[in-house]
Amino acid sequence: ARPRLHRSNKNHQHTSVTQTHTRTMLSAFSRAASRRVVATTAFRSFATDAAHKPVIDLHGIHARYANATYVAASKGGMLDQVESELNGLAAAASTSTAFSSFLENPLIPRDEKSAQIAKLLDGSKVSTITVNLCTTLAGNAKLGDLPKVATTYAQLMKAKRGQVDATIISAEPLTKKQTDDIAAAIKATSKDAKEVVIKSETDDSIIGGIQVQIGDQFLDLSVKSRIEEISRTPI
């Protein structure tokens, strides 16, 4: 009887070890599958965010808020609506002393300011994205920077549309043909430019020719600059 009992115990031990190995293998497969799901989800999230990323890189405090707002608006298919809302708020800040003072008032506690701007926008059909931006700015004591954030957001939208803004300075007012020719030249030499918006200014001190300002790039083709260049050339 004792040998049979001994063999039965060995069989029991073997079964126990097999079950333990099985549970270990199942646990390992489960962890591996979980890691694959997490990795796949993370990749999809990254790909989604990349698809909604602004087409140009802007940096600074205002750009951080504008970039985050752009991504949220892009995901919600509300880029144009949010742009219109921010432009409206920026315009209100420039025309209403009361609204501008409220935005810039540092004496209003952050929570109170956040609640006040949310209440102000409530019922005005302003998107949740714009409301969230305003309350976030208020909570970070940055609501006074709202117009600058709006301007930065507008830059992102112009880049998305392929719009290039150029300021042309000339000694005398340009004709329509001259303006169109300059716009065509800028479009031909600017990468991804689909539209060139010209702002014309006059400055008789440049004597003749033109000066072109595109973003932070400045091109001086004026007679004045040529005269100054010649005057610096040793004879």
Side-chain angles (χ1 to χ4, degrees):
R2 289 179 181 175
R4 285 195 295 274
L5 288 173
H6 183 66
R7 285 195 297 273
S8 176
N9 186 45
K10 287 178 65 178
N11 289 337
H12 175 71
Q13 290 176 349
H14 177 73
T15 301
S16 177
V17 169
T18 301
Q19 291 175 343
T20 299
H21 281 306
T22 300
R23 286 195 296 269
T24 301
M25 289 174 62
L26 289 174
S27 177
F29 280 129
S30 177
R31 288 195 299 270
S34 296
R35 285 195 294 269
R36 286 195 296 272
V37 170
V38 170
T40 301
T41 302
F43 175 78
R44 287 175 178 171
S45 176
F46 176 79
T48 300
D49 286 344
H52 296 285
K53 183 181 177 182
V55 298
I56 57 172
D57 293 325
L58 298 179
H59 304 283
I61 184 65
H62 305 131
R64 287 204 295 271
Y65 288 107
N67 288 336
T69 302
Y70 181 100
V71 171
S74 179
K75 289 180 178 180
M78 303 173 69
L79 284 169
D80 292 334
Q81 179 180 339
V82 171
E83 180 184 26
S84 177
E85 292 169 352
L86 292 180
N87 287 342
L89 290 171
S94 66
T95 58
S96 171
T97 302
F99 185 56
S100 178
S101 297
F102 164 72
L103 295 180
E104 298 176 3
N105 191 341
L107 301 179
I108 304 176
R110 298 184 183 189
D111 291 345
E112 182 180 338
K113 203 168 193 178
S114 181
Q116 287 184 15
I117 190 65
K119 183 178 180 180
L120 181 65
L121 299 177
D122 184 38
S124 60
K125 297 183 180 180
V126 172
S127 67
T128 302
I129 294 170
T130 298
V131 173
N132 287 344
L133 169 63
C134 292
T135 55
T136 300
L137 287 170
N140 293 332
K142 297 290 184 182
L143 192 55
D145 289 337
L146 178 59
K148 294 180 179 179
V149 174
T151 298
T152 306
Y153 184 92
Q155 287 182 262
L156 299 178
M157 290 298 293
K158 287 178 180 179
K160 177 182 179 296
R161 299 185 184 106
Q163 178 179 325
V164 175
D165 290 340
T167 299
I168 308 300
I169 303 171
S170 58
E172 297 179 355
L174 299 174
T175 65
K176 184 180 184 306
K177 184 180 185 308
Q178 289 173 324
T179 302
D180 291 343
D181 288 345
I182 293 172
I186 294 173
K187 185 176 181 179
T189 56
S190 298
K191 183 181 179 181
D192 300 326
K194 297 177 182 178
E195 178 186 6
V196 178
V197 178
I198 298 290
K199 176 185 176 183
S200 298
E201 298 180 1
T202 57
D203 179 1
D204 57 12
S205 71
I206 70 172
I207 305 173
I210 61 171
Q211 294 175 331
V212 184
Q213 181 81 50
I214 304 175
D216 58 356
Q217 299 179 353
F218 183 74
L219 178 63
D220 194 344
L221 301 175
S222 67
V223 173
K224 177 182 178 181
S225 69
R226 292 292 298 149
I227 293 174
E228 290 177 347
E229 183 180 346
I230 293 172
S231 67
R232 290 192 298 267
T233 303
I235 298 176

